[in-house]
Amino acid sequence: MKILIHRHAGQLIDILSIGGDSIPVGSLNCISAFWYLAKEYPEELILWCEERIYKDLNLEEINKIFHHDLIMASYAVYSEYLPRAVGYIDHMPYVNVNRNVSYGTWFMSTDVGGIKGNTLLKFKHFFSKESDFGFLLNSIAKIGLENGLFCYSVPSLIVNREIPLVKKINADNSDLFRFVYSHYTTIWTTILFFCFISKEKNIPIKSYISAFFNSKKFKKEIDLRDLPIKSTQLSQLSNNIDVILPTIGRTEQVKQVLNDLRNQSLTPYQVILIEQKPGEDHTSDLQGLVKEKWPFQLVHIFTQRTGVCYARNLGLEKVISDWVFLCDDDNRIASSVLSDALSEIRRLGVNMINTAYRQPDENIIFKKIKQWGTFGAGNSIVKSEFLENVRFSNTFEHGYGEDKDFGMQLRNRGCDIIYDPFLEITHLKAPMGGFRIKKVFKWEAESPQPKPSPTVMALILKYYTLEQRYGYKLSMFLKFYRKQTIKNPIAYFKIMNKSWDKSLYWGKYLLDQS
């Protein structure tokens, strides 16, 4: 381990080995020393640390934090690099960081952090001329996260300190526009400019124009396959796994799923089957299946109340195993999926995993293991300890967004969401798919209709920063302009504002009712 101690992300103060010995590097600046250490010590962890934070560096936790070679982590103690204005054009969960837990994000701070030397060298080709340490760290994480680098904000990097209130932003408008142009599709640079004009009452014309003279890094490929992941974390948990399987009106599909689970090389401990059938006089259609002999405990719950959130929550109340598989009733599951998934979770040192989840005629689009910006409620395996007090919110019942909300609850408890394309479950999308029970919402009589859907608005209100909300609104307005008949932009924005306000009203209503 080598520790690069700097002052204000520019001046190199010292480089220390783990024993405290200083390493002479001449008159190098902070970034030059960073690359030098990666080249000279590729098998070691390279830490960076602001000089006034060094005494609080939590060396005892370092091995636990960096438990495999493809981890980059930092923590903002006094300063962050990018301003919250980046939320105008980035609406992913990585932007609104929960600093109280280990949280998956590409937001990096120059205050304290680390990355393995040979991992850092993978990025030198793109950034060897970069002179801004904060820009460099955030760029590495931004590209790296899409290519399989695991990036985190980790409060345990420091000791004996309450979660501080970050007061300093290092990047100015020029840095922000340069970053957005480099790492996003070009249109977002213009949207950011309009957000500054309309929301910030600022016209950063120089920053906007100069951004276009920088090189693009968007969707750059970094091959990290020769840096194999093998976590040093040792799991004390068993392989016991419970399956939560909600269903409504799909007897044949449920039988197929149960048979797939019967044939697993790792047999589930429990399969919790929640059957929904509305109507006071209705009885179960699955008694024949329930009476069959299964190699697992089949817990059958029958309810006349509908709603997948309600059904899954009934299942969560019955969980007793160390792991939970959230499963849909029209899945096809190869015999090794559960066993392979738990092996992958241990290899990666993570707490959950989302499998690939394609329909029979679809191709897999994302082909790298990586941190995931969403969550799949029909193809996830999660460590049970993170599900305590986590439930599917009835705010989103019969609507959209319950899976994203569930994923955000996990993130805010320190459970990162990981996607693994090498684990695959097929989603048949059976003909009776979707919500199957049509609910008439109170806002369906509104004119104009709320836009976005009030359940989507509830998700925005619950998890987006103010900048993300405004950016989402503006980008949605621009997106739908080409798809409607009102070509007068003033009239169009007037009607869209009415639709937005109605969505805002009903979104708040849903949250108040939950």
Side-chain angles (χ1 to χ4, degrees):
M1 182 192 307
K2 299 294 180 282
I3 307 172
L4 185 157
I5 302 173
H6 63 82
R7 180 179 297 155
H8 306 314
Q11 181 182 352
L12 178 65
I13 301 301
D14 203 353
I15 296 176
L16 301 178
S17 293
I18 189 62
D21 296 331
S22 182
I23 300 174
V25 293
S27 58
L28 296 180
N29 61 27
C30 186
I31 289 183
S32 297
F34 196 44
W35 292 123
Y36 170 83
L37 290 174
K39 181 180 179 181
E40 294 298 316
Y41 306 98
E43 296 301 321
E44 295 196 40
L45 180 66
I46 312 299
L47 297 179
W48 64 87
C49 185
E50 171 72 33
E51 63 173 334
R52 56 181 167 165
I53 300 172
Y54 176 66
K55 65 181 184 301
D56 293 321
L57 187 59
N58 192 358
L59 294 176
E60 292 184 1
E61 287 290 307
I62 293 300
N63 288 336
K64 185 184 296 185
I65 295 168
F66 298 94
H67 54 88
H68 64 69
D69 288 355
L70 290 184
I71 290 177
M72 183 179 188
S74 82
Y75 190 65
V77 182
Y78 298 112
S79 67
E80 292 177 333
Y81 182 72
L82 288 170
R84 296 178 73 85
V86 74
Y88 287 134
I89 57 87
D90 192 324
H91 311 139
M92 297 295 283
Y94 311 122
V95 173
N96 193 10
V97 177
N98 183 343
R99 298 176 62 248
N100 296 286
V101 299
S102 178
Y103 190 92
T105 178
W106 53 263
F107 266 50
M108 292 287 126
S109 172
T110 59
D111 289 351
V112 61
I115 187 173
K116 188 75 176 289
N118 52 14
T119 304
L120 175 58
L121 289 175
K122 292 286 186 178
F123 298 86
K124 188 173 183 180
H125 171 71
F126 295 110
F127 301 112
S128 60
K129 296 181 180 179
E130 180 56 54
S131 60
D132 184 325
F133 193 44
F135 193 98
L136 173 65
L137 295 178
N138 282 270
S139 293
I140 289 172
K142 186 71 171 69
I143 294 177
L145 188 143
E146 292 300 321
N147 286 278
L149 184 66
F150 291 67
C151 305
Y152 298 97
S153 165
V154 184
S156 59
L157 277 166
I158 58 172
V159 294
N160 300 325
R161 186 183 294 273
E162 295 181 0
I163 302 300
L165 177 64
V166 173
K167 297 181 179 179
K168 183 181 178 183
I169 300 297
N170 292 330
D172 58 19
N173 285 347
S174 178
D175 298 320
L176 172 62
F177 275 86
R178 179 164 75 103
F179 188 89
V180 169
Y181 176 78
S182 295
H183 292 286
Y184 298 83
T185 53
T186 303
I187 186 61
W188 286 113
T189 310
T190 300
I191 291 176
L192 177 64
F193 182 62
F194 281 124
C195 286
F196 264 82
I197 295 173
S198 58
K199 189 66 175 176
E200 306 277 341
K201 309 305 179 186
N202 182 6
I203 307 177
I205 187 67
K206 183 178 179 181
S207 298
Y208 172 67
I209 293 174
S210 63
F212 291 90
F213 292 91
N214 291 278
S215 61
K216 296 289 285 185
K217 302 296 190 299
F218 180 62
K219 287 192 174 180
K220 290 292 185 182
E221 293 285 330
I222 304 287
D223 190 355
L224 302 175
R225 289 176 297 177
D226 62 336
L227 301 174
I229 299 177
K230 188 174 182 181
S231 174
T232 57
Q233 288 188 344
L234 298 177
S235 174
Q236 303 299 320
L237 298 180
S238 71
N239 282 344
N240 286 354
I241 185 167
D242 290 347
V243 181
I244 295 179
L245 180 60
T247 186
I248 181 170
R250 282 179 171 169
T251 303
E252 290 304 314
Q253 286 82 3
V254 168
K255 183 176 181 179
Q256 200 169 58
V257 173
L258 290 174
N259 281 323
D260 283 351
L261 294 172
R262 185 208 300 267
N263 294 326
Q264 289 295 303
S265 56
L266 173 63
T267 304
Y269 184 74
Q270 285 190 133
V271 175
I272 306 164
L273 176 62
I274 307 97
E275 180 187 4
Q276 297 175 293
K277 192 174 183 183
E280 293 183 2
D281 299 328
H282 289 172
T283 57
S284 172
D285 293 328
L286 303 178
Q287 284 302 314
L289 287 176
V290 172
K291 291 177 181 178
E292 284 190 35
K293 186 175 181 179
W294 301 97
F296 40 74
Q297 295 182 35
L298 181 59
V299 179
H300 178 230
I301 301 172
F302 177 79
T303 177
Q304 293 167 336
R305 176 176 167 179
T306 63
V308 70
C309 296
Y310 174 72
R312 287 180 177 138
N313 288 340
L314 288 178
L316 286 169
E317 294 295 333
K318 299 293 184 180
V319 167
I320 58 176
S321 293
D322 289 332
W323 301 94
V324 175
F325 172 30
L326 297 172
C327 184
D328 272 355
D329 62 358
D330 56 349
N331 286 348
R332 292 308 311 268
I333 311 160
S335 61
S336 64
V337 164
L338 295 185
S339 176
D340 291 346
L342 290 187
S343 295
E344 276 290 86
I345 285 172
R346 288 186 168 90
R347 183 179 72 87
L348 299 173
V350 296
N351 298 305
M352 70 79 58
I353 214 158
N354 263 171
T355 71
Y357 200 45
R358 65 183 178 94
Q359 296 178 43
D361 57 346
E362 288 182 331
N363 295 320
I364 294 178
I365 298 174
F366 302 104
K367 299 180 180 180
K368 295 181 179 180
I369 298 173
K370 63 179 185 176
Q371 291 165 295
W372 199 230
T374 184
F375 178 84
N379 60 316
S380 294
I381 295 172
V382 186
K383 188 183 290 186
S384 296
E385 67 180 74
F386 286 97
L387 298 175
E388 187 175 348
N389 300 321
V390 173
R391 293 295 182 267
F392 288 91
S393 173
N394 61 9
T395 296
F396 308 98
E397 193 72 279
H398 300 292
Y400 297 92
E402 86 282 351
D403 47 356
K404 291 184 179 180
D405 174 75
F406 195 84
M408 286 305 303
Q409 291 181 63
L410 290 175
R411 283 187 179 89
N412 285 321
R413 283 162 175 77
C415 180
D416 197 17
I417 310 301
I418 305 299
Y419 163 78
D420 191 330
F422 303 108
L423 300 168
E424 185 177 345
I425 293 173
T426 302
H427 191 201
L428 297 180
K429 281 282 188 179
M432 291 181 67
F435 299 106
R436 285 165 273 168
I437 300 297
K438 174 65 176 175
K439 179 178 178 178
V440 178
F441 292 102
K442 294 181 179 180
W443 55 80
E444 291 186 14
E446 294 273 16
S447 181
Q449 278 286 289
K451 190 175 288 296
S453 163
T455 53
V456 173
M457 178 61 79
L459 198 72
I460 290 171
L461 292 173
K462 194 172 181 181
Y463 296 112
Y464 280 26
T465 66
L466 293 176
E467 291 81 6
Q468 285 180 307
R469 295 179 195 178
Y470 187 82
Y472 181 95
K473 178 182 179 180
L474 180 60
S475 59
M476 185 189 75
F477 281 22
L478 295 174
K479 176 182 177 181
F480 281 101
Y481 181 71
R482 295 176 297 173
K483 299 180 180 181
Q484 49 80 52
T485 57
I486 304 173
K487 296 308 175 185
N488 183 321
I490 296 176
Y492 169 73
F493 270 80
K494 185 176 180 180
I495 195 73
M496 285 296 286
N497 269 316
K498 288 183 179 180
S499 294
W500 178 269
D501 288 342
K502 288 181 182 295
S503 179
L504 196 61
Y505 170 82
W506 286 110
K508 290 178 179 178
Y509 172 83
L510 288 173
L511 291 174
D512 289 341
Q513 297 299 307
S514 63

